[in-house]
Amino acid sequence: MRLLGLQLIRYVTNAFIAHVPSHALRRVWYTRVVGIRIGDQTALMMGLHIQTRGRPQSGRPGIEIGNHTVVNANCHLDGRGGLLVGNNVSISQGVWILTDEHDVNDPDFPEIFAPVRIEDYVFIGSKAMVLPGVTIGRGAVVGAGAVVTKDVPALAIVGGVPASSIGWRQDHLAYELNFRPALE
């Protein structure tokens, strides 16, 4: 029965709630029903697709998003292995963040959960993908369309498939994201 309830909540969350043009309503659902921790002044745009294994509890992490962070439209957040997003993080449209994969060499094809950590002031470009077990360091930039397969150092700029270093960001990061669209 618990599995059916979880599947129903996931369906309602992704098929209906994600498309309601009221940020306040979506936020209440995401925090009270799904169990996501969402910081102050954080904006989660419409079309967000969320995967969890139920409300977070000991031994079963979930999704935690810091203050002044923006998750743009049509992103995919997988919290089954644990997802921590810091403060003042900008996640562009269509980004996928995954915390679950399969062991393709095991005959039973088991799931492998690995947490993703995105530190403060990170910018992730449109349609990038972050794979399980990755940490993206403070102030790093992930270019549009990049596939991040390993940790990204603080202030690094990475791009490509797989993502590799293409430069470095200045360490004068003190901005505060306060994005709040009228109908989102």
Side-chain angles (χ1 to χ4, degrees), residues 51-124:
Q51 287 185 279
T52 65
R53 294 189 291 163
R55 294 183 62 83
Q57 56 185 264
S58 180
R60 187 174 67 209
I63 300 172
E64 184 174 343
I65 304 171
N67 302 320
H68 299 277
T69 288
V70 178
V71 179
N72 273 284
N74 303 312
C75 289
H76 181 100
L77 302 182
D78 177 0
R80 294 173 292 174
L83 174 58
L84 177 62
V85 179
N87 301 316
N88 295 295
V89 173
S90 179
I91 300 175
S92 299
Q93 287 191 352
V95 169
W96 278 58
I97 302 171
L98 303 173
T99 64
D100 181 21
E101 61 187 338
H102 291 273
D103 184 345
V104 297
N105 292 314
D106 186 310
D108 293 325
F109 198 55
E111 287 183 294
I112 301 170
F113 297 105
V116 168
R117 179 180 177 88
I118 300 169
E119 297 181 356
D120 299 343
Y121 297 106
V122 167
F123 170 65
I124 303 176

Side-chain angles (χ1 to χ4, degrees), residues 17 22-36 38 44 55:
I17 299 299
S22 166
H23 184 265
L25 180 80
R26 290 193 314 272
R27 184 182 181 99
V28 167
W29 180 271
Y30 292 150
T31 56
R32 295 188 182 166
V33 177
V34 181
I36 299 173
I38 304 170
L44 305 176
R55 294 183 62 83

